[in-house]
Amino acid sequence: MPPQPIRSVAVFCGSRVGHDPVYAAAATALGVGLAAAGIRLVYGGGGVGLMGIVADAALGAGGQVLGIIPEFLQRREVAHAGVGEMVVTQTMHDRKRRMFDAADAFVTMPGGLGTFDETIEITTWRQLALHDKPILICDVAGWAQPYLASVEAAVDQGFAGAECLQLYEVLPDVDAVLARLAALPSPAAGQPERV
Ligand code: AMP
């Protein structure tokens, strides 16, 4: 079977907008770009922060959006009322699992601790060969540099192998992320996933 294109992408990003308006602009561009490419947005289901912005942008551009939110966060993260499909999970772990299952690839946008957590977890699962889905980090205005530096420090200190640096790709902006998604094949169907 010929390689299939990426059809569904999980986006990890902040439940806040950050100080620099460039982050919100990038989230808008990503939502619009995913919709234009016919790629479904899978995200944490919130209506706040960059999460809400990326979802609003995708919906506004006619895109397909799947939100996945834990019951206890529906109020705090203002569960988005307008997404096409919303899954309410019992736990954070269920949320991450459902987001993983629904995605062919992952994109990390600017965010805080939750964004780091989601990115690290999906990367460590790949390190353990539990999946082989692409992980793209969008380094909007250099926001990811401190995160990347801590991964590189772990390699320098002998706590991670240099091959860890191949588990993810760093793209400078949303245009580069969209171009990469268009070029990437979807992970082969039937490939073992043991997460
Ligand atoms: P933040 O980057 O901290 O604004 O969080 C972004 C998203 O990650 C929010 O939807 C959080 O609910 C979510 N999040 C925070 N901690 C975790 C976690 N341990 N596992 C999964 N998602 C999380």
Side-chain angles (χ1 to χ4, degrees):
M1 210 167 76
Q4 301 295 305
I6 300 279
R7 304 305 309 269
S8 181
V9 165
V11 173
F12 303 135
C13 62
S15 56
R16 302 180 184 211
V17 294
H19 291 315
D20 190 333
V22 74
Y23 304 135
T28 299
L30 182 64
V32 170
L34 290 175
I39 297 174
R40 177 177 67 166
L41 166 69
V42 179
Y43 87 115
V48 293
L50 296 189
M51 298 170 68
I53 291 173
V54 74
D56 283 340
L59 290 166
Q64 202 189 335
V65 178
L66 166 62
I68 304 179
I69 195 163
E71 201 173 10
F72 81 98
L73 278 182
Q74 283 184 94
R75 185 187 297 255
R76 193 188 322 164
E77 294 190 353
V78 195
H80 200 300
V83 301
E85 197 184 345
M86 183 71 84
V87 171
V88 179
T89 66
Q90 292 299 308
T91 67
M92 294 297 268
H93 287 291
D94 291 342
R95 175 204 239 178
K96 277 201 254 199
R97 172 72 215 213
R98 296 290 292 259
M99 288 179 74
F100 172 84
D101 287 341
D104 301 325
F106 306 95
V107 172
T108 292
M109 295 291 284
L113 301 188
T115 303
F116 294 150
D117 173 274
E118 293 168 317
T119 304
I120 288 269
E121 181 154 71
I122 219 72
T123 306
T124 55
W125 286 353
R126 198 173 190 202
Q127 179 184 18
L128 297 170
L130 301 180
H131 74 89
D132 199 23
K133 298 180 180 182
I135 300 165
L136 309 185
I137 296 176
C138 188
D139 188 24
V140 179
W143 86 275
Q145 289 304 315
Y147 168 78
L148 298 169
S150 53
V151 178
E152 286 159 20
V155 172
D156 289 344
Q157 291 160 355
F159 290 114
E163 65 280 4
C164 288
L165 305 176
Q166 311 301 319
L167 295 170
Y168 52 86
E169 294 178 50
V170 182
L171 289 314
D173 52 34
V174 167
D175 283 350
V177 167
L178 293 168
R180 188 70 185 124
L181 288 173
L184 277 168
S186 189
Q191 158 188 294
E193 278 162 14
R194 296 174 286 144
V195 298

